[in-house]
């Protein structure tokens, strides 16, 4: 069949030209919308500017074909062969390209929005400034492709192969790159904000200057990656491998990275405001200073000498444990949850609910705080639902007074700023505790339960893993002793029996010396 015969029959209403053989034909500018050219041989054909919208080109051979500016909107190209084809500025929006072969194809500024490229082979293809918004590239082979300046917002690249590809200055915001292969990829200044990169292989990738805000990199492999000046604010780096990665001046403000492996990594100049320093592997890490200012403007800098950075990044999470000498009942669980919800409405230091370890004889509530200085004030607040609240608060106040006295008399603390900050936070907590008790009815409800009347012990753990028992009920751990003869019940302890013994001054001062204070 000749080109003229095909066009004549198409004009007469014939659409089925399946298997037609027209290599090297000139069909530039033709209108063949909805035509069936499945299994056709169209190698080296000229279809520049042609209208092939909704055409069926499945299994067609279009190798080295010229399709620049062609309209292939919603066309079916499943398993088609378009190797080395010229598709510059072609419209492939909503096209079906499942399993298609586009090796070394030219797709500069092509529109592939919402196109289905499942398992397509785009090895070494040129997709500079192409539009692939919400395109499906799951399992696609994009190794060594050029995607510089391309738009892939919301695209699905799950398990795609992007090995050694060039994605510099492209937009991958909100894209799904879960378990994708991005080894040695060029992602310089790429927008990956909100992207899912969990489990992705980014070994030796260049991510310098990349925008990774709110990106999920949990479990990703970033060994040897270049993250110089990258923005990882609010990113999820939980259990991420950053072995020998370069994070010089990277922005990690409010990033979550517990379990991350920073062995041999470089963090000099990293911006770490409100970023946890706990649960990290830091052996051999290089870090001369970090920026701890809220805006990342170097207004608060922490300098390190020799091994100081290791202590800074290897801290134990400061925690408050309320150990209750009773099993947690459903009613108490519900009431306490309500109480802590109301407390959190007034007290900003309580950022998340406690973790609960419930045993058959004992219940442990664990609260995590952001700094050592917040331990005493937060403990003063979180004890409110329990009968022993007043006694515990009295102890905390007395302990802080002992710390103040020691500072005045012997100046036996490494940093007076710690005590100043501690006093300020405690004063605020005392005022807020008064307000909470007056306003929040859930506190009263919880305090009336037998569970909240049980003997308790309050244990603080600082960032140096030192512990301090700030309150220990005299009958804590003794509830199984037969006290019936003495007419003493488990939950009705007389006032005289609740006299507390404060920790010794030496123990308290050693505990405070273990605080990691951030110098300005």
């Amino acid at each position: 069949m000749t080109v003229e015969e095909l066009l004549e029959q198409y004009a007469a209403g014939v659409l089925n030209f399946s298997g037609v053989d027209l290599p090297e034909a000139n069909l530039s500018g033709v209108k063949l919308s909805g035509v069936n050219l499945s299994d056709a041989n169209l190698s080296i054909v000229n279809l520049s500017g042609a209208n092939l919208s909704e055409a069926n080109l499945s299994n067609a051979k279009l190798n080295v074909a010229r399709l620049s500016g062609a309209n292939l909107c919603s066309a079916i190209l499943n398993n088609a062969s378009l190797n080395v084809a010229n598709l510059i500025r072609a419209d492939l929006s909503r096209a079906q390209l499942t399993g298609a072969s586009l090796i070394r194809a030219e797709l500069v500024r092509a529109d592939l929005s919402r196109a289905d490229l499942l398992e397509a082979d785009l090895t070494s293809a040129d997709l500079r400034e192409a539009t692939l918004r919400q395109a499906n590239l799951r399992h696609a082979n994009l190794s060594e492709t050029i995607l510089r300046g391309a738009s892939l917002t919301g695209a699905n690249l799950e398990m795609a192969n992007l090995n050694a590809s060039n994605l510099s200055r492209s937009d991958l915001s909100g894209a799904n790159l879960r378990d994708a292969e991005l080894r040695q990829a060029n992602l310089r200044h790429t927008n990956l904000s909100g992207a899912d990169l969990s489990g992705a292989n980014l070994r030796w990738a260049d991510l310098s200057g990349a925008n990774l805000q709110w990106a999920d990199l949990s479990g990703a492999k970033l060994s040897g990656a270049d993250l110089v000046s990258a923005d990882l604010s609010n990113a999820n780096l939980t259990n991420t491998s950053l072995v020998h990665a370069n994070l010089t001046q990277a922005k990690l403000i409010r990033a979550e990275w517990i379990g991350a492996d920073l062995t041999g990594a470089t963090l000099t100049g990293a911006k770490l405001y409100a970023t946890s320093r706990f649960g990290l592997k830091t052996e051999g890490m290089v870090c001369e200073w970090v920026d701890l200012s809220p805006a990342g403007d170097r207004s608060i800098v922490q300098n390190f000498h020799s091994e100081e950075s290791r202590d800074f990044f290897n801290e134990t999470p400061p925690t408050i444990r309320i150990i209750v000498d009773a099993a947690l009942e459903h009613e108490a669980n519900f009431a306490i949850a309500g109480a802590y919800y109301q407390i959190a409405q007034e007290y900003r230091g309580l950022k998340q609910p406690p973790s609960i370890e419930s045993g058959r004889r004992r219940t442990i509530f664990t609260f995590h705080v952001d700094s050592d200085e917040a331990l005493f004030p937060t403990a003063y607040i979180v004890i409110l639902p329990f009968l022993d609240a007043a006694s515990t608060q009295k102890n905390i106040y007395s302990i802080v007074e002992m710390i103040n006295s020691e500072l005045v008399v012997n100046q036996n603390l490494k940093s007076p700023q710690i005590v100043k900050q501690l006093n300020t936070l405690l004063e605020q907590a005392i005022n807020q505790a008064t307000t909470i008790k007056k306003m929040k009815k859930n506190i009263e409800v919880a305090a009336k339960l037998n569970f909240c009347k049980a003997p308790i012990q309050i244990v603080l753990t600082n960032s140096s893993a030192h512990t301090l028992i700030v309150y220990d009920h005299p009958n804590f751990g003794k509830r199984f002793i037969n006290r019936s003869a003495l007419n003493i019940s488990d939950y009705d302890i007389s006032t005289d029996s609740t006299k507390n013994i404060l920790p010794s001054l030496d123990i308290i001062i050693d505990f405070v010396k273990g605080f990691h204070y951030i110098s300005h």
Side-chain angles (χ1 to χ4, degrees):
M1 179 180 289
T2 65
V3 169
E4 291 74 17
E5 289 173 337
L6 183 146
L7 294 175
E8 186 179 332
Q9 290 184 34
Y10 178 82
V14 177
L15 296 176
N16 187 2
F17 299 95
S18 179
V20 70
D21 188 20
L22 287 169
E24 302 184 46
N26 184 3
L27 290 160
S28 61
V30 298
K31 295 180 181 179
L32 293 168
S33 178
V35 72
N36 180 2
L37 289 163
S38 59
D39 297 299
N41 179 10
L42 299 164
S43 295
I44 323 178
V45 73
N46 183 0
L47 282 158
S48 300
N51 183 354
L52 291 157
S53 59
E54 299 182 4
N56 183 355
L57 288 150
S58 56
N59 298 300
K61 291 180 175 63
L62 287 148
N63 296 317
V64 203
R66 292 171 61 186
L67 290 147
S68 56
N71 181 0
L72 289 151
C73 178
S74 300
I76 302 170
L77 290 143
N78 296 330
N79 299 308
S81 183
L82 291 138
N83 299 321
V84 203
N86 181 347
L87 289 146
I88 294 171
R89 296 181 184 272
D91 184 356
L92 288 149
S93 56
R94 294 184 173 82
Q96 296 180 38
L97 290 143
T98 300
S101 181
L102 293 129
I103 297 168
R104 293 174 56 205
E106 293 181 87
L107 289 144
V108 179
R109 296 188 181 179
D111 187 355
L112 290 130
S113 301
R114 299 180 184 271
D116 188 355
L117 290 140
L118 174 69
E119 298 182 347
D121 190 349
L122 290 128
T123 303
S124 301
D126 190 347
L127 287 142
R128 280 174 294 165
E129 299 179 35
T131 301
L132 294 114
R133 296 188 186 98
Q134 296 181 28
N136 180 19
L137 290 146
R138 194 170 186 269
H139 280 291
N141 186 355
L142 292 145
S143 61
E144 300 183 8
T145 52
I146 302 171
L147 284 150
R148 189 169 65 248
S151 176
L152 293 119
T153 54
N156 184 359
L157 290 139
E158 185 174 3
M159 291 182 276
N161 180 5
L162 289 141
N163 180 42
S165 58
N166 185 348
L167 290 140
S168 60
R169 301 187 183 277
S170 60
D171 188 351
L172 283 149
S173 53
N176 177 6
L177 289 145
R178 192 182 303 125
D179 296 316
E181 177 63 53
L182 287 147
R183 188 162 33 91
Q184 295 183 314
N186 181 353
L187 292 150
R188 288 172 60 86
H189 300 286
T190 297
N191 182 5
L192 287 152
S193 57
D196 185 353
L197 287 147
S198 56
N201 183 5
L202 287 146
R203 289 187 176 97
W204 307 105
D206 186 351
L207 287 145
S208 56
N211 180 359
L212 288 149
Q213 294 184 68
W214 296 100
D216 185 355
L217 289 147
S218 57
K221 303 168 187 69
L222 285 147
S223 301
D226 185 351
L227 289 147
V228 174
S229 300
D231 190 348
L232 290 140
S233 302
N234 298 292
N236 181 2
L237 292 156
T238 306
N239 298 320
T240 301
S241 174
L242 290 152
V243 176
H244 293 292
N246 189 351
L247 287 147
T248 301
Q249 297 192 42
K251 196 172 184 179
L252 288 147
I253 292 173
R254 294 188 177 87
E256 177 60 62
W257 59 354
I258 289 175
D261 190 347
L262 290 155
T263 303
T266 302
L267 261 85
T268 298
K271 306 173 195 305
L272 295 169
Y273 175 76
T275 302
S276 171
R277 306 193 300 278
F278 314 132
L280 302 169
K281 295 178 183 177
T282 59
E283 187 177 351
M285 187 179 70
V286 177
C287 187
E288 296 174 8
W289 61 277
V290 291
D291 183 348
L292 298 167
S293 57
D297 57 8
R298 302 192 190 184
S299 57
I300 304 173
V301 169
Q302 177 82 47
N303 292 297
F304 301 118
H305 300 288
S306 61
E307 297 296 315
E308 287 180 350
S309 64
R310 183 175 295 181
D311 293 336
F312 182 85
F313 286 101
N314 274 305
E315 296 175 2
T316 304
T319 58
I320 300 155
R321 283 183 296 152
I322 300 175
I323 307 169
V324 185
D325 207 9
L328 182 64
E329 305 141 349
H330 288 296
E331 183 185 11
N333 186 34
F334 179 76
I336 289 170
Y340 284 131
Y341 171 76
Q342 291 196 331
I343 287 171
Q345 303 301 104
E346 295 293 325
Y347 185 68
R348 292 184 178 180
L350 190 61
K351 294 182 178 178
Q352 58 185 24
S355 60
I356 304 172
E357 185 181 336
S358 181
R360 294 177 65 185
R361 298 181 178 182
R362 193 167 284 179
T363 306
I364 303 171
F365 296 88
T366 303
F367 300 85
H368 294 267
V369 295
D370 289 337
S371 66
D372 290 311
E373 302 92 276
L375 282 168
F376 291 109
T378 307
Y380 193 96
I381 293 288
V382 297
I383 197 60
L384 282 171
F386 295 89
L387 181 65
D388 286 341
S391 298
T392 303
Q393 290 172 336
K394 183 179 178 181
N395 271 21
I396 291 170
Y397 187 82
S398 298
I399 288 168
V400 174
E401 284 296 297
M402 290 167 71
I403 295 167
N404 287 326
S405 299
E406 181 66 12
L407 180 66
V408 172
V409 175
N410 297 320
Q411 293 187 342
N412 194 23
L413 293 171
K414 62 182 179 182
S415 181
Q417 292 96 326
I418 293 175
V419 181
K420 183 180 178 181
Q421 180 72 359
L422 174 56
N423 282 309
T424 301
L425 292 172
L426 183 60
E427 185 180 346
Q428 292 171 355
I430 291 169
N431 293 333
Q432 287 174 298
T434 303
T435 303
I436 290 166
K437 283 190 288 186
K438 286 180 181 177
M439 295 175 59
K440 306 301 181 182
K441 298 299 180 185
N442 280 15
I443 309 296
E444 295 178 14
V445 172
K448 291 176 183 178
L449 298 172
N450 280 344
F451 176 81
C452 293
K453 295 177 183 177
I456 61 173
Q457 184 183 73
I458 318 298
V459 183
L460 309 185
T461 303
N462 67 20
S463 58
S464 297
H466 298 156
T467 60
L468 180 71
I469 299 172
V470 296
Y471 177 78
D472 193 9
H473 192 284
N475 287 308
F476 181 80
K478 301 175 184 176
R479 65 191 300 264
F480 296 104
I481 295 174
N482 184 0
R483 298 193 296 274
S484 58
L486 300 174
N487 197 28
I488 299 173
S489 71
D490 286 336
Y491 305 110
D492 185 20
I493 310 300
S494 67
T495 304
D496 291 338
S497 69
T498 59
K499 290 180 181 178
N500 307 303
I501 300 173
L502 289 170
S504 70
L505 180 60
D506 288 344
I507 291 173
I508 293 168
I509 298 306
D510 282 343
F511 182 75
V512 178
K513 282 181 178 179
F515 285 13
H516 282 81
Y517 181 75
I518 298 169
S519 62
H520 290 211

